[in-house]
Amino acid sequence: MGFSVPLGEDISVRFVPPRGRAELRLACAAVKPGRQPAACRGAFRVLVKTGPEQGEHCVFSRASRGGVWEEAVVDLSPFAGRQIELVLQSDSPETEALAYWATPTVISGRGRRPNVLLISIDSLRADHLGCCGYPRDTSPTLDSLATAGCLFGKAIAQSSWTLPSHTSIFTSLYLSSHGVNSPHDALTPDATTLAETLREAGYLTGAIITGGPLLPVYGLNQGFDYYDATCFTDMFDDVRDPCTHARAVGWLDRYGESPFFLFVHYWDVHHSYIPPPPYDEMFDPGYEGPVDGRHILKLIPSNLPPRDLEHLVALYDGEIAHTDRYVGLLLRELKSRGLSDKTLVIVTSDHGDELLEHGGTGHGHTVYQELIHVPLIWIDPYSHPCKDPVDYIVQTIDIAPSVLDRLDLPVPPSMEGTSFLGYVRGLHQQARPAFSEAATSDHRYAVVTERAKLIASAYRQFRGYDLAADPGEQNPVAPEKLTQGSQLDEALTTYFRSPGRDVVTLEVRVVGGETPGDVRVSLTSLWIVDVLPNGLEPGDTLEVEQDSTRVTLALDCPAGDVDGVSLNLFSEETAIFLEPTFRHRPVSPQELTLGRGARPRERIPLKVRADDPDLEGPPTSLSPAPTGRPSVYVWVIKRGLAPTAGIELEEDFQKQLRALGYLN
Ligand SMILES: [Zn+2]
């Protein structure tokens, strides 16, 4: 079915797109009628009007040079269940031409959910890809994917090393929520992963993983029907792409018919940088110096002449080109099986790699852009490509909710990311800052917006960067000098204050004794984000100093009374100075209980760190001290999901992790 109208004349129809998946498919062409009708130039637009409040949205726009049908697939699911007016508009410089609109059809239903292929290329920096402006031809496949889909030009990974960053991708949780940050931590089975959610929705789920930090021992296999670690032999085997490819293709052969979610993890860009020929000489042929891409963590910046650094970068780029080729081969296999137009493809990375921009190599220890700015490409066969790269900040924790949003599946409430489909669909979306955390560093927390960045230590020391003027982060500025300085500080504080993600809460309770008297507890810590009184009555006071670094409780504590305060602290590394006094003299060690029952080992006032194991609580009971005077209890509760800590690793594997800088 189709119809034609004079070009310039609108056609409009009112209807309610069905809930769930709703797609408008049509074709259009401009034709000059006559004895011999001829195609001519025309411009076509499809508008969705949603009423005076939400206005109108252009969902399709195409200029035709004449000669062919222009085909449109328009995603109407953002408007599902709402009364809309669909307007077909045309225009042409030709006189008396007609606009032909062919077979406009709304397709709906759950049967149209695509497969999902999520590709993670380990250690891939965004700024070394052609589509992100890199001058070398490192990434022809990814560049063409960026054109065929949507490139997110400012995607931020939630950590700068493999294990926590992939944990964030799979769970849509920030590092301080999932807590997996050491090679001895595994994801708790209580977490909800993307694979689990998709499996519940009827997807067959598979993963081909190639890196040690993704081995099943780390718990990221949750929700996968198949979790294939065959290509991981040891951490020093630097060429795994051919194996990864063969396993992925084999998996598609066996399970490609089912609705599937396949995760493919490419390892080879990860150091060492030893690309196989011809990629080893691709970007710096004829080099005869000492750099061979091995042992990069042992390179000493001051001993590395610029010429050798150039070669190191060329080897890293060779690794990218090599892996890019394998991604291309996998996509070709997808196409040859007729799966390309049924599969949503997402390409990203867990972190980048340092190439001495800030004096180091490898990854994990800082949150500079070379480590946390990663590629993110979204290719939806049912949607039009984005006109331009998305210039707003998104996070890799947004991938899982976006996939679920795209598939009309509910996003588990635990997930902290936000769907970025609004950007894909060209609709307005609220911009949000991104957060990232390094494994260890003096300055390990980062908040990033489109223009600026704040890097913070656990001791409230900041480095600000104007990313627009100083994208390489070479000139730190005081946060107050940044246009968005105070918003960034506030965003970082809010990040730690979010429910379920308080890094650590310090609880203080005073239990009244038989001997009455004034009890004062003074706590000093550099970054107290929240203070909540607990059981205070008239006569008790809680004083918080203006800069929130010192809190003082003054209590009138009758026998049996329990009063106190809960403090949310910025980080478990935060030091706390604790000074409880009774009648203006320090309480005795028998009157102070730490954690489940420990006594202070040092003199009061005490200096403790929130991650001191002695502080881990809560206490088994709260009772007066044997002295008959009031007693003070102090303990720490960690919030968020507790990882399964202290997992056993084979000695040989630990050795490899150590050599690669993951373990000390
Ligand atoms: Zn990694």
Short mmCIF file of all heavy atoms in Angstrom, two decimals, residues 340-368:
data_model
loop_
_atom_site.label_atom_id
_atom_site.label_comp_id
_atom_site.label_asym_id
_atom_site.label_seq_id
_atom_site.Cartn_x
_atom_site.Cartn_y
_atom_site.Cartn_z
N SER A 340 23.50 -10.00 11.14
CA SER A 340 23.85 -8.58 11.30
C SER A 340 22.63 -7.71 11.53
O SER A 340 22.67 -6.80 12.36
CB SER A 340 24.56 -8.06 10.06
OG SER A 340 25.84 -8.58 10.03
N ASP A 341 21.56 -8.00 10.78
CA ASP A 341 20.40 -7.12 10.94
C ASP A 341 19.47 -7.58 12.05
O ASP A 341 18.36 -7.10 12.17
CB ASP A 341 19.66 -6.95 9.60
CG ASP A 341 19.26 -8.28 9.02
OD1 ASP A 341 19.57 -9.31 9.65
OD2 ASP A 341 18.62 -8.30 7.95
N LYS A 342 19.93 -8.52 12.84
CA LYS A 342 19.13 -8.95 14.00
C LYS A 342 19.91 -8.76 15.30
O LYS A 342 19.52 -9.28 16.34
CB LYS A 342 18.79 -10.45 13.88
CG LYS A 342 17.94 -10.81 12.71
CD LYS A 342 17.76 -12.32 12.70
CE LYS A 342 17.15 -12.75 11.38
NZ LYS A 342 17.40 -14.17 11.12
N THR A 343 21.07 -8.13 15.21
CA THR A 343 21.94 -8.10 16.38
C THR A 343 22.38 -6.68 16.73
O THR A 343 22.91 -5.96 15.88
CB THR A 343 23.19 -8.98 16.14
OG1 THR A 343 22.75 -10.29 15.78
CG2 THR A 343 24.06 -9.09 17.38
N LEU A 344 22.12 -6.32 17.96
CA LEU A 344 22.61 -5.06 18.50
C LEU A 344 24.07 -5.27 18.88
O LEU A 344 24.38 -6.22 19.61
CB LEU A 344 21.77 -4.73 19.74
CG LEU A 344 22.14 -3.55 20.61
CD1 LEU A 344 21.91 -2.25 19.85
CD2 LEU A 344 21.29 -3.56 21.89
N VAL A 345 24.97 -4.43 18.36
CA VAL A 345 26.40 -4.61 18.64
C VAL A 345 26.90 -3.41 19.45
O VAL A 345 26.62 -2.25 19.09
CB VAL A 345 27.21 -4.73 17.33
CG1 VAL A 345 28.71 -4.90 17.64
CG2 VAL A 345 26.72 -5.91 16.50
N ILE A 346 27.60 -3.68 20.52
CA ILE A 346 28.18 -2.61 21.33
C ILE A 346 29.67 -2.91 21.47
O ILE A 346 30.06 -4.02 21.81
CB ILE A 346 27.55 -2.55 22.74
CG1 ILE A 346 26.04 -2.40 22.63
CG2 ILE A 346 28.13 -1.40 23.56
CD1 ILE A 346 25.27 -3.50 23.25
N VAL A 347 30.49 -1.91 21.16
CA VAL A 347 31.94 -2.07 21.31
C VAL A 347 32.44 -1.07 22.34
O VAL A 347 32.11 0.12 22.27
CB VAL A 347 32.67 -1.82 19.97
CG1 VAL A 347 34.18 -2.06 20.15
CG2 VAL A 347 32.13 -2.71 18.87
N THR A 348 33.20 -1.56 23.29
CA THR A 348 33.74 -0.65 24.30
C THR A 348 35.05 -1.19 24.83
O THR A 348 35.62 -2.13 24.27
CB THR A 348 32.71 -0.44 25.44
OG1 THR A 348 33.15 0.63 26.27
CG2 THR A 348 32.54 -1.69 26.30
N SER A 349 35.56 -0.58 25.89
CA SER A 349 36.78 -1.06 26.53
C SER A 349 36.65 -0.86 28.03
O SER A 349 35.80 -0.10 28.50
CB SER A 349 37.98 -0.29 26.00
OG SER A 349 39.14 -0.67 26.72
N ASP A 350 37.52 -1.54 28.77
CA ASP A 350 37.45 -1.42 30.23
C ASP A 350 38.29 -0.26 30.76
O ASP A 350 38.04 0.26 31.83
CB ASP A 350 37.86 -2.74 30.90
CG ASP A 350 39.22 -3.25 30.45
OD1 ASP A 350 39.75 -2.75 29.43
OD2 ASP A 350 39.76 -4.16 31.10
N HIS A 351 39.30 0.17 29.99
CA HIS A 351 40.20 1.26 30.39
C HIS A 351 41.20 1.45 29.28
O HIS A 351 41.25 0.64 28.34
CB HIS A 351 40.93 0.93 31.70
CG HIS A 351 41.65 -0.39 31.63
ND1 HIS A 351 42.86 -0.52 31.02
CD2 HIS A 351 41.28 -1.64 32.02
CE1 HIS A 351 43.22 -1.80 31.06
NE2 HIS A 351 42.27 -2.50 31.64
N GLY A 352 42.03 2.47 29.39
CA GLY A 352 43.08 2.67 28.38
C GLY A 352 44.42 2.19 28.90
O GLY A 352 44.49 1.23 29.67
N ASP A 353 45.47 2.83 28.47
CA ASP A 353 46.82 2.53 28.95
C ASP A 353 47.62 3.83 28.98
O ASP A 353 47.44 4.69 28.12
CB ASP A 353 47.50 1.52 28.02
CG ASP A 353 47.89 0.24 28.77
OD1 ASP A 353 47.59 0.15 29.97
OD2 ASP A 353 48.47 -0.66 28.14
N GLU A 354 48.49 3.94 29.96
CA GLU A 354 49.33 5.13 30.05
C GLU A 354 50.53 4.99 29.13
O GLU A 354 51.16 3.92 29.13
CB GLU A 354 49.86 5.30 31.47
CG GLU A 354 48.85 5.74 32.49
CD GLU A 354 49.53 5.95 33.83
OE1 GLU A 354 50.22 6.97 34.00
OE2 GLU A 354 49.39 5.08 34.70
N LEU A 355 50.85 6.02 28.41
CA LEU A 355 52.06 6.01 27.58
C LEU A 355 52.94 7.19 28.00
O LEU A 355 53.29 8.04 27.19
CB LEU A 355 51.66 6.06 26.10
CG LEU A 355 50.90 4.81 25.62
CD1 LEU A 355 50.18 5.06 24.30
CD2 LEU A 355 51.83 3.61 25.50
N LEU A 356 53.19 7.23 29.27
CA LEU A 356 54.07 8.21 29.92
C LEU A 356 53.51 9.63 29.96
O LEU A 356 54.25 10.57 30.28
CB LEU A 356 55.47 8.23 29.27
CG LEU A 356 56.27 6.94 29.33
CD1 LEU A 356 57.69 7.18 28.82
CD2 LEU A 356 56.35 6.37 30.73
N GLU A 357 52.22 9.82 29.64
CA GLU A 357 51.65 11.17 29.71
C GLU A 357 51.81 11.76 31.10
O GLU A 357 51.99 12.95 31.28
CB GLU A 357 50.16 11.16 29.37
CG GLU A 357 49.83 10.83 27.94
CD GLU A 357 49.83 9.35 27.67
OE1 GLU A 357 50.14 8.55 28.59
OE2 GLU A 357 49.52 8.97 26.54
N HIS A 358 51.68 10.91 32.11
CA HIS A 358 51.83 11.38 33.48
C HIS A 358 52.92 10.57 34.20
O HIS A 358 52.84 10.31 35.40
CB HIS A 358 50.49 11.30 34.21
CG HIS A 358 49.49 12.27 33.67
ND1 HIS A 358 48.60 11.93 32.67
CD2 HIS A 358 49.28 13.58 33.93
CE1 HIS A 358 47.86 12.99 32.37
NE2 HIS A 358 48.25 14.00 33.11
N GLY A 359 53.90 10.15 33.41
CA GLY A 359 55.07 9.53 34.01
C GLY A 359 55.01 8.03 34.19
O GLY A 359 55.94 7.44 34.71
N GLY A 360 53.91 7.40 33.78
CA GLY A 360 53.82 5.96 34.00
C GLY A 360 53.40 5.19 32.76
O GLY A 360 53.12 5.76 31.70
N THR A 361 53.40 3.86 32.91
CA THR A 361 52.92 2.97 31.86
C THR A 361 51.90 2.03 32.49
O THR A 361 51.76 1.98 33.71
CB THR A 361 54.08 2.14 31.28
OG1 THR A 361 54.80 1.56 32.38
CG2 THR A 361 55.03 2.98 30.45
N GLY A 362 51.23 1.26 31.65
CA GLY A 362 50.24 0.31 32.18
C GLY A 362 48.98 1.04 32.62
O GLY A 362 48.64 2.10 32.09
N HIS A 363 48.31 0.48 33.62
CA HIS A 363 47.03 1.07 34.02
C HIS A 363 46.70 0.68 35.46
O HIS A 363 47.38 -0.14 36.06
CB HIS A 363 45.92 0.63 33.08
CG HIS A 363 45.89 -0.84 32.83
ND1 HIS A 363 46.46 -1.42 31.71
CD2 HIS A 363 45.42 -1.87 33.57
CE1 HIS A 363 46.30 -2.73 31.77
NE2 HIS A 363 45.68 -3.04 32.90
N GLY A 364 45.65 1.27 35.98
CA GLY A 364 45.13 0.89 37.29
C GLY A 364 45.41 1.89 38.40
O GLY A 364 44.72 1.91 39.40
N HIS A 365 46.46 2.71 38.21
CA HIS A 365 46.88 3.50 39.36
C HIS A 365 46.49 4.97 39.31
O HIS A 365 46.74 5.69 40.27
CB HIS A 365 48.39 3.35 39.55
CG HIS A 365 48.77 1.90 39.67
ND1 HIS A 365 48.35 1.12 40.72
CD2 HIS A 365 49.46 1.09 38.84
CE1 HIS A 365 48.79 -0.12 40.55
NE2 HIS A 365 49.45 -0.16 39.41
N THR A 366 45.95 5.42 38.19
CA THR A 366 45.49 6.81 38.16
C THR A 366 44.12 6.87 37.48
O THR A 366 43.61 5.84 37.02
CB THR A 366 46.46 7.74 37.36
OG1 THR A 366 46.23 7.55 35.96
CG2 THR A 366 47.91 7.48 37.70
N VAL A 367 43.55 8.06 37.44
CA VAL A 367 42.26 8.23 36.75
C VAL A 367 42.36 9.35 35.70
O VAL A 367 41.42 10.08 35.47
CB VAL A 367 41.11 8.55 37.75
CG1 VAL A 367 40.62 7.28 38.41
CG2 VAL A 367 41.54 9.55 38.81
N TYR A 368 43.55 9.49 35.10
CA TYR A 368 43.68 10.45 34.01
C TYR A 368 42.94 9.93 32.78
O TYR A 368 42.67 8.73 32.66
CB TYR A 368 45.15 10.70 33.69
CG TYR A 368 45.86 11.49 34.79
CD1 TYR A 368 46.87 10.90 35.54
CD2 TYR A 368 45.50 12.81 35.05
CE1 TYR A 368 47.51 11.63 36.56
CE2 TYR A 368 46.14 13.52 36.05
CZ TYR A 368 47.13 12.93 36.81
OH TYR A 368 47.75 13.63 37.80
#
